[in-house]
Amino acid sequence: MKAFEYVNAQTPESAAGLIGTEGRYLAGGIDLLGEMKEYIATPARLVNVKNLPTTREISKTPEGGFRLGANVTIAELAAQADLPAGLIEAAAEVGSPQIRAVATVGGNLAQHSRCWYYRQRDLTCLKRGGSTCYARDGENKYNAIFTGNPCISPVVSNLAVALTVLSAQAVVWRKSKEVRLTMAELYADAWNNPLAQNSLQPGDLILAVEIPAPVAGVRSSYLQVSEKSDFDWALVSCAAAGSVNEGKFRGVKIALGAVAPVPFQMEEANALLEGKPCNEASANAAASLILATATPFSHNGYKVPIARALIRRTLLNLAK
Amino acid sequence: MSFTINGKTFEEKPRPGQCLRTFARDLGWFGVKKGCDAGDCGACTVWLDGKPVHSCLVPAFRAEGREVTTIEGLACNGTLHPMQQAFLDAQAFQCGFCAAGMIMTSASLSEEEKKDLPFRLKGNLCRCTGYHAIEDALAGVGHVEPDRAGHACGSSLQSPLAHSIVTGTARYTSDIKMEGMLHLKVLRSPHAHAKILAMRTEKARAVPGVHAVFTSEDVPKRPFTSALHDDYRVDPDDTYVLDNFARYVGQRVAAVVAESEGAAEEACRLIEVDYEILPAVFDPEEAMLPGAPVLHNKEFSSRIQNAKKNIFLQIDSEYGNVAQGFSEADVTVEGNYSSNKVSHAHLETHIAIASQSEDGRIHVRTSSQAPFQVRAKLAYLFAIPLERVHVYTERVGGGFGGKQEMLCEELCVLAMLKTGRPVKWEFTREEEFIAGVSRHPMTTRIKVGAKNDGTLTAIQVRVVSATGAYGNHGGETLAASLSQSLQVYRCPNMQGTGYAVYTNIPPSGAFRGYGSSQTVFAVESAMGELARKLGLDLMTLQRKNVVIPGDAVHSIWEGPSDAEMGSYGLDQCMDFVETALASGRGETKPEGEEWLEGKGHAIHMHDCIPPTEQRSEAHIKLRADGTYYLTNGVTEMGNGTITSMRQVAASILNSMADRIEIVIADTDKTAYDTGTFSSVGTSVSCKSVSLAAENLRDNILKIASEYTSRPVEECALADGNVQCGDRTIPLTELFATARDARHRLEVMRKAYGSPRTTCFNVHGFRIAVHRVTGEIRILQSVHAADAGTILNPMQCRGQVEGAVAQGIGSSLFERMVFDGNGKMVNPNFRNYRISAFADIPRTEIFFADTYDAYGPLGAKSAGETPIIPVAPALGNALADATGVRFASLPFSADRIFEQLADAP
């Protein structure tokens, strides 16, 4: 690891001032230290943002929603029983107990690609500014089946998928003020731009995530399938939120993770479910619509049936 | 700024960029281990304010003002923490390298959290135990039995190293600090095949702290092989300490020694190399074709059989007449099977420290399975007398064959001789993957012929083994793959052809199962296909054809053999597995018609000793205080040999095991031992102990008889004394008497690896397969082994559990993946996945009741071979469930999905 300078920031403004051109924000450091040890990231300065005010708290918003400070750890999040079930389930699947004790909400959302080729120290893939996506013709078992650009690295944040269906917004410190981005907006750039991990610009810092006030009767669920049972990223993950009234889906949102550079959602599928009976046939119809445009590569065709099964199971969980 | 670790306050400040793991170790807390340095394995787990974290992913600055607890801080006033005691009682470790981290995580769990261990232990990997004993420790189940004189053999005695392991005080090689120690790092080739035209090292030498840079110009001009065998001629001399040709991505091309690892790494990056890139070949079949790039254009003296065709060794042998055998067959089956390149993944990476004493002798502390072979190789390479080199190990953090190789000792010695300073080199996890060794990927074409009643008439195999860029172990694994894999069947006609082929991928090496695993996968899969074609149950087909007591051990070789069945328990093993699979025990299939269920098993017979030279020498003596002192050159890396040896000696001397001090694996303190590999720990090394102990016992009794004037038949050893009729003579008294009478109660005996007995393993699975997604769930796992007398039931179970876990991992998800340029793309535990707690089912384990004619106290090998039938047993269960034969390892979900989707 390249030696770095370690500085403490006390306010978002000072953090943004300290970061400079060669600095990186340090929260839990799980993803960043990994990149630094592999010489994928070589920042000259780490700006400790763990001490920023109110970023370690989970609080209620004036509207009755939740505000999750960006430095809340995944373990703290998973232990907060009054949060939506789907979010807690997504948090519980993150890493290992040791990782959850350190990793943060902000870091989970902002984590970088886990594509094998992106993580190769000596290889400059498309996402790192090179000219080739090696995964396309290489080992693409874990890669995306939807993408809007030549890079097929998928988003791997569990929380992003769960927060998408909860209509959450990220509170981002950008150019000396707070801006609010939906999850779709937070990742939109990665759909088209192979170099982008998300839509954050240099110096942007996630301060919190806000979840709208829960509506009576609305449930949420998150499920993932992994290759093995130690801490492992999802092969496919799925989150859904909405209600089931008199056996019918109402206001349902559904999103998939680990299949696209963004949390993958399709408004048409949400619309299709509206008022439909809560059963396998409706769920399968939604799955077919969502997966119709999937373009698997040589080794990841298996993700399609897994996604189909997960969509069905997650949707049916809303009635439980 | 101050830091508190285990209640002590330190004023030292971390270096910029330092993580908590190395900071704690710099302050002397060596219980914090390095397995991956990437937050994947959990060996470095410490508590930060009472919560377990991966200390390798915590910047040391983050610990300021917080309470850090390591394994050394867990015990309170000399009393072990209850979790340390539980790990001790269950012996929930083997090599012990993961134990500190595993205990730190386990000790943090509430009773409620302990109910969900698959979830709670996600962050800690163990490569040795298979996690059963760890589960037992967390459930408060103990296995260790009391050490009682007269009951040593057959008791579950604890390892003499146990206490040091659970307290974090066991010292592995990386835990040794020496005055003035330098650190070595290497520059590795980015090309799969290249000639080095020029190298510029000025910038590297200018890095502050750098002492020296070494290139191919600086090394002895002596080719050698990194494989460790007594008979070095079985491997080709195709390697140089540093070469001017690079033959795989990751081959070292230059080395730097510096005051710190960081400086050495930085200097490596500043070395400029001009390469002439040469065409490379990655597929062994292509490598044998005319016009393929040639890897080793070497002299015949290198022992490469056909260098121009990249064939290190070709084997052709036939026993009987297969052409005739096939002509007599009513039914034949044929198939092509392939196996994956698998990493040993011992949690302790390769490491060595070289130093020199004032008398000029060279001392090498290393993590090796064969210190005497390392000594011989170093003496050869540097042209120094054997006596001037001292090689020793203490704790070794796992081996599995990966450390039957000299991969770092020679560069440390070279650098130490040039700089005059102690030099240490520790592999990173990435280096372990790209420049350690791994299992030979093999493709096997097999044809089996049988009569309609199931009687085998012929077996023919053709094996192509990818030895990689160098030939270490390429020949012996090939021979084993062609012979050991067939010898459980008494087929009259067997023929094998094999090629060990050079390709531009990292070298393969010795791996638990040593060539047999790969071909047994093909043989037992083919037997499954044959049974299906004949409409027979596989057990029935096998019972009709397996060897029976009195049979000669044979496979494809003509001529005499020294392999013999010293005891026979195959029938019992097959019965155990058949009955268990029929019992309905285990989990039930998940609901839903998309889940398919199937059963399968596989069998294997293995030689307990290699055909190469193998010998071991035990010294044992009675000491003045009435205790015994035992030395043997064997190594202990979690295999338990040190425990077995004490039990064998204690049993023969009718003593408590604790009265026997044992010293091992040190070329100065112990006599020659070939090395601890190829299942020899019990069969050869323990055998020398039994021979020595028997002789010492007889000597003691003879002296006691003379001393008491009682017939020797009336004298018997007891714990601490000799009973001669009604007289009780303390051993202390007898020792004094013997010394006065100029008797020496000190014995040496050698054991030789011939004849070579055989052991048996049978594994069975019942599994569920999701027909759409390809997901596999193991519902029941059963293993039966014939290891002769079970010296230590707890330990033997642990060996089986660990081997089965390694087998499940390498069958289901482990795979080293290379890109089109020969570069490994998943060289870390995050992407090369080994089994965690949640991945491993509880295996039912049975031992046959036999007594081996050759082994010590009737015991034979237990640790290596249980891995071998695991993959084909899974393959047969998969075929039973789906009707589709999966012929390529591993059986990962994506591959199963693809093949099921294509199935009619």
Side-chain angles (χ1 to χ4, degrees), chain B residues 38-39 100 104 174 214 246 259 330 456 477 543 615 694 770 773 870:
Chain B
M104 291 311 288
S174 63
F214 302 104
E259 296 284 346
D330 298 316
L456 294 176
T477 46
R543 287 199 176 100
R615 74 174 202 268
E694 281 166 6
H770 195 276
T773 62
V870 170

Side-chain angles (χ1 to χ4, degrees), chain B residues 379-622:
Chain B
Y380 160 76
L381 276 175
F382 296 99
I384 38 180
L386 213 52
E387 313 79 65
R388 307 287 290 164
V389 188
H390 169 215
V391 179
Y392 63 111
T393 76
E394 283 182 37
R395 301 289 65 75
V396 177
F400 315 115
K403 293 171 180 169
Q404 192 190 344
E405 208 88 42
M406 186 171 80
L407 298 178
C408 51
E409 295 90 338
E410 70 285 17
L411 261 181
C412 289
V413 169
L414 176 84
M416 184 273 291
L417 289 173
K418 293 274 170 79
T419 61
R421 300 264 294 264
V423 173
K424 170 180 172 180
W425 184 20
E426 180 176 13
F427 274 27
T428 63
R429 180 54 55 186
E430 182 183 357
E431 288 182 301
E432 198 60 48
F433 277 107
I434 62 171
V437 292
S438 47
R439 191 169 80 178
H440 289 76
M442 294 187 185
T443 52
T444 306
R445 192 162 78 211
I446 182 165
K447 184 177 177 188
V448 182
K451 295 281 198 191
N452 278 328
D453 69 355
T455 308
L456 294 176
T457 61
I459 305 176
Q460 185 175 40
V461 291
R462 176 185 182 272
V463 173
V464 176
S465 170
T467 191
Y470 295 91
N472 44 305
H473 294 283
E476 290 303 296
T477 46
L478 181 69
S481 78
L482 291 168
S483 54
Q484 292 212 66
S485 54
L486 304 178
Q487 64 192 17
V488 75
Y489 292 106
R490 54 190 332 230
C491 177
N493 306 298
M494 299 199 203
Q495 191 253 322
T497 302
Y499 307 87
V501 185
Y502 288 117
T503 56
N504 294 105
I505 57 167
S508 304
F511 188 104
R512 190 182 215 161
Y514 206 73
S516 294
S517 301
Q518 295 94 319
T519 312
V520 169
F521 170 58
V523 171
E524 291 296 283
S525 297
M527 290 299 164
E529 287 301 291
L530 180 65
R532 189 156 65 161
K533 206 161 173 181
L534 288 167
L536 287 174
D537 167 71
L538 178 58
M539 282 277 182
T540 309
L541 175 71
Q542 286 165 329
R543 287 199 176 100
K544 200 169 182 69
N545 289 290
V546 292
V547 289
I548 57 172
D551 278 359
V553 176
H554 81 84
S555 55
I556 62 168
W557 314 120
E558 286 288 356
S561 162
D562 66 344
E564 288 194 24
M565 289 183 277
S567 73
Y568 182 87
L570 178 59
D571 49 349
Q572 296 177 49
C573 291
M574 290 176 71
D575 290 348
F576 280 132
V577 169
E578 186 175 44
T579 307
L581 286 180
S583 69
R585 291 192 294 266
E587 290 176 41
T588 51
K589 178 172 80 80
E591 282 180 27
E593 57 184 53
E594 289 183 335
W595 284 100
L596 309 169
E597 184 172 335
K599 276 188 220 174
H601 76 276
I603 65 173
H604 180 58
M605 171 166 92
H606 201 85
D607 299 342
C608 293
I609 299 168
T612 43
E613 284 303 308
Q614 190 76 37
R615 74 174 202 268
S616 185
E617 183 173 324
H619 292 202
I620 187 165
K621 65 181 175 189
L622 179 66

